[in-house]
């Protein structure tokens, strides 16, 4: 059966870890789903593991093995979401709603073979559509799938958002709601900045930058997928009935440049290759080698050349595995002097479409940081974002000052 043969529209409702952390929160989620179903739609809910379950499972694995085998780690971590899906399905049945839970694999989520960071290749939602046709609520375990060998895979931390959007795309859902412990997407992390404002709606591109640059409220890949398949996406509270934030294709003000958010990301480290020859092909060799090591490079800065040599610096995610031997080999391969790794840095990002073409914005940003005596280590800019690399201890102060100076002072 095809999803388009169903008589009612489909809503995907994703509940994050803190929103299913206790039995009473699971019951709250069930009630919310029941209410939605009453409004005349089919509901597919996607669940994360309860509270800190994923962290706790990870720590159990590390107590057994310093480097747990990837396959077994995925089997273990996937258990968190399996626990939630069964409990939510029970809670629904307890209040008289027909429901059925599905693991990622039972829900037809096929991924590549890359354990712990698997990508979704294809979804075969047959079983899910059959359950919906019987008017059952579907409860799907987020964050997991299965590969071509039928091995369990996981999608990377925070990946349940991506499961939800992918399923919404595969089913042609009318709405995909990410229900969480904040009331929507804010102009900064509301846990850090008291004056952070909820954003009513923002474009996929701006949201994608925010997600990739520290606003963990949405998994970056979920936004990418929502944009690609034009999935109507809303971030809202799991416990309060407030409107939330809509992520949309296009904003209405055609050319207005507006600073939308300041995000902070401390989960990064900086690697500098010192005094490498300033000749064609060096950067290609460096980043080619890093690509082969599977290193995901976030920002690259090449300093001015001095006496035929220069420094090449790049920022990578904090959990990147690159050891001393690999760095020694890299420096040797390109004829450089040495390398330096700095883990005590962080990214401060100012986001808004058209931001770097608007005269004066960069100056205001740097003035605000200078007034705070915050030193800028590196700077990069694009049409959507200006990123400042600062020392980790300046991150919170810098985030608050930028938010206050750029967003709170804007009366609109
Ligand atoms: P879930 O468990 O529901 O997936 P997450 O912890 O992954 O929830 O994401 C929600 C958290 O994201 C919030 O508690 C908030 O602290 C954080 N966050 C960071 N930046 C932002 C932002 N700009 N807007 C909203 N929340 C943000
Ligand atoms: N439970 C997983 C995690 O903690 C996936 C998720 O919550 O989205 O990362
Ligand atoms: Mg999350």
């Amino acid at each position: 059966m095809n999803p388009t043969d169903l008589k009612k529209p489909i809503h995907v409702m994703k509940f994050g870890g803190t929103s299913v952390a206790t039995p009473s929160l699971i019951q709250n989620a069930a009630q919310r789903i029941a209410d939605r179903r009453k409004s005349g739609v089919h509901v597919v809910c996607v669940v994360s593991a309860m509270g800190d379950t994923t962290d706790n499972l990870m720590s159990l694995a590390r107590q057994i093995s310093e480097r747990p085998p990837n396959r077994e780690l995925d089997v273990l971590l996937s258990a968190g979401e399996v626990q939630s899906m069964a409990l939510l399905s029970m809670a629904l049945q307890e209040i008289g709603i027909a429901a059925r839970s599905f693991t990622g694999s039972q829900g037809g989520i096929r991924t590549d073979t890359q354990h712990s960071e698997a990508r979704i290749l294809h979804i075969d939602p047959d079983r899910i559509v059959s359950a919906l046709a019987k008017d059952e609520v579907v409860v799907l375990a987020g964050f997991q799938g299965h590969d071509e060998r039928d091995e369990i895979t996981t999608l990377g931390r925070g990946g349940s958002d991506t499961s939800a959007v992918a399923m919404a795309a595969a089913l042609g859902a009318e709405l995909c709601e990410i229900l969480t412990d904040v009331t929507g997407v804010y102009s900064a992390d509301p846990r850090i900045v008291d004056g952070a404002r909820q954003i009513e709606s923002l474009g996929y591109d701006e949201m994608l930058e925010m997600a990739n640059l520290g606003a963990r409220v949405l998994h970056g890949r979920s936004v990418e997928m929502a944009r690609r398949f034009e999935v109507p996406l809303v971030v809202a509270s799991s416990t309060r009935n407030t409107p939330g934030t809509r992520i949309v294709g296009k904003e209405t003000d055609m050319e207005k440049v507006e600073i939308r958010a300041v995000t902070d990301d401390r989960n990064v480290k900086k690697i500098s290759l010192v005094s490498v020859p300033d000749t064609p092909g060096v950067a290609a060799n460096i980043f080619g080698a890093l690509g082969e090591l599977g290193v995901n490079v976030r920002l690259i800065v090449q300093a001015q050349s001095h006496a035929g040599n220069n420094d090449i610096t790049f920022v990578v995610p904090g959990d990147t595995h690159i050891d001393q031997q690999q760095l020694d080999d890299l420096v040797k391969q390109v004829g450089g002097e040495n390398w330096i790794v700095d883990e005590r840095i962080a990214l401060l990002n100012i986001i808004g479409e058209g931001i770097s073409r608007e005269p004066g914005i960069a100056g205001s940003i740097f003035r605000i940081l200078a007034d705070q005596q915050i030193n800028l280590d590196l700077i990069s800019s694009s049409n959507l974002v200006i990123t400042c690399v600062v020392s980790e201890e300046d991150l919170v102060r810098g985030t608050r000052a930028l938010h206050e100076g750029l967003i709170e002072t804007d009366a609109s």
Side-chain angles (χ1 to χ4, degrees):
M1 187 176 188
N2 219 301
T4 48
D5 298 332
L6 292 168
K7 303 247 162 14
K8 295 184 278 186
I10 301 171
H11 285 191
V12 172
M13 300 171 79
K14 180 256 171 180
F15 291 86
T18 38
S19 305
V20 290
T22 62
S24 73
L25 283 165
I26 292 177
Q27 286 163 331
N28 160 73
Q31 194 51 55
R32 189 110 184 209
I33 293 160
D35 292 346
R36 180 62 57 85
R37 191 165 166 272
K38 253 195 232 143
S39 75
V41 296
H42 287 297
V43 180
V44 173
C45 34
V46 176
V47 281
S48 290
M50 295 170 72
D52 297 331
T53 303
T54 309
D55 289 333
N56 295 339
L57 291 171
M58 187 76 97
S59 128
L60 278 175
R62 300 247 183 262
Q63 288 170 50
I64 300 282
S65 158
E66 227 173 82
R67 278 193 171 251
N70 290 336
R71 176 189 184 276
E72 304 309 335
L73 194 59
D74 271 1
V75 173
L76 180 70
L77 295 189
S78 69
E81 271 69 13
V82 172
Q83 181 184 33
S84 302
M85 81 189 204
L87 291 171
L88 180 56
S89 175
M90 286 177 202
L92 283 160
Q93 294 178 52
E94 200 59 32
I95 55 170
I97 307 286
R100 185 178 298 266
S101 65
F102 293 85
T103 63
S105 163
Q106 290 172 326
I109 300 192
R110 259 284 298 281
T111 72
D112 63 15
T113 58
Q114 208 187 327
H115 284 295
S116 86
E117 269 299 329
R119 302 272 162 165
I120 298 175
L121 297 177
H122 172 75
I123 297 187
D124 173 6
D126 267 10
R127 286 188 67 180
I128 286 185
V129 175
S130 305
L132 294 175
K134 286 188 227 144
D135 226 9
E136 291 171 340
V137 166
V138 165
V139 185
L140 175 71
F143 176 58
Q144 56 182 266
H146 71 126
D147 69 11
E148 65 199 11
R149 305 155 304 175
D150 247 350
E151 298 289 2
I152 292 174
T153 53
T154 64
L155 308 181
R157 297 304 306 268
S160 296
D161 299 335
T162 297
S163 309
V165 174
M167 192 48 85
L171 294 171
E174 183 181 78
L175 177 66
C176 179
E177 253 184 342
I178 306 293
L179 299 161
T180 183
D181 58 359
V182 283
T183 55
V185 180
Y186 279 69
S187 54
D189 186 344
R191 290 184 202 285
I192 293 185
V193 178
D194 284 342
R197 302 170 178 174
Q198 189 178 322
I199 303 172
E200 200 179 299
S201 74
L202 84 168
Y204 289 120
D205 291 339
E206 290 170 315
M207 187 63 237
L208 184 57
E209 291 293 339
M210 286 182 69
N212 285 339
L213 292 168
R216 68 172 193 284
V217 64
L218 282 177
H219 196 226
R221 281 160 50 198
S222 71
V223 185
E224 228 174 275
M225 192 154 355
R227 178 176 65 180
R228 188 173 305 169
F229 295 99
E230 296 184 3
V231 175
L233 190 60
V234 168
V235 178
S237 161
S238 60
T239 51
R240 293 170 55 182
N241 250 324
T242 48
T245 299
R246 285 176 301 114
I247 318 298
V248 295
K250 282 269 174 285
E251 283 298 336
T252 42
D253 289 335
M254 292 188 81
E255 278 206 292
K256 185 170 174 226
V257 173
E258 194 185 343
I259 298 177
R260 307 305 301 271
V262 178
T263 68
D264 59 286
D265 189 358
R266 61 178 71 239
N267 184 27
V268 285
K269 57 188 172 193
K270 184 181 81 172
I271 302 177
S272 303
L273 305 183
V274 180
S275 198
V276 297
D278 185 19
T279 49
V282 167
N285 287 340
I286 294 171
F287 295 101
L290 289 169
E292 271 166 34
L293 292 172
V295 174
N296 159 16
V297 177
R298 303 265 298 266
L299 188 155
I300 302 170
V301 176
Q302 176 176 313
Q304 186 88 41
S305 162
H306 289 291
N309 289 319
N310 56 29
D311 296 349
I312 293 187
T313 299
F314 47 93
V315 174
V316 297
D319 55 5
T320 302
H321 292 294
I322 176 159
D323 62 30
Q324 302 202 347
Q325 188 58 54
Q326 287 167 327
L327 286 167
D328 283 343
D329 291 347
L330 189 60
V331 168
K332 204 162 132 205
Q333 187 190 333
V334 295
E337 207 173 277
N338 64 333
W339 51 263
I340 302 166
V341 175
D342 185 353
E343 304 209 349
R344 311 213 41 212
I345 58 124
L347 307 183
L348 249 176
N349 313 286
I350 303 88
I351 293 159
E353 179 123 38
I355 189 168
S356 53
R357 70 172 153 75
E358 189 73 359
I361 289 186
S364 311
I365 292 170
F366 304 147
R367 170 54 47 211
I368 290 167
L369 295 175
D371 288 346
Q372 294 287 322
Q373 304 293 318
I374 293 175
N375 190 43
L376 298 177
D377 193 350
L378 303 171
I379 299 164
S380 97
S381 68
S382 73
N383 183 46
L384 279 160
V385 56
I386 296 181
T387 295
C388 305
V389 177
V390 298
S391 143
E392 207 175 35
E393 67 242 28
D394 292 334
L395 184 64
V396 170
R397 199 156 42 88
T399 307
R400 289 180 178 150
L402 285 174
H403 190 275
E404 196 184 330
L406 299 171
I407 298 179
E408 286 168 55
T409 51
D410 171 8
S412 65

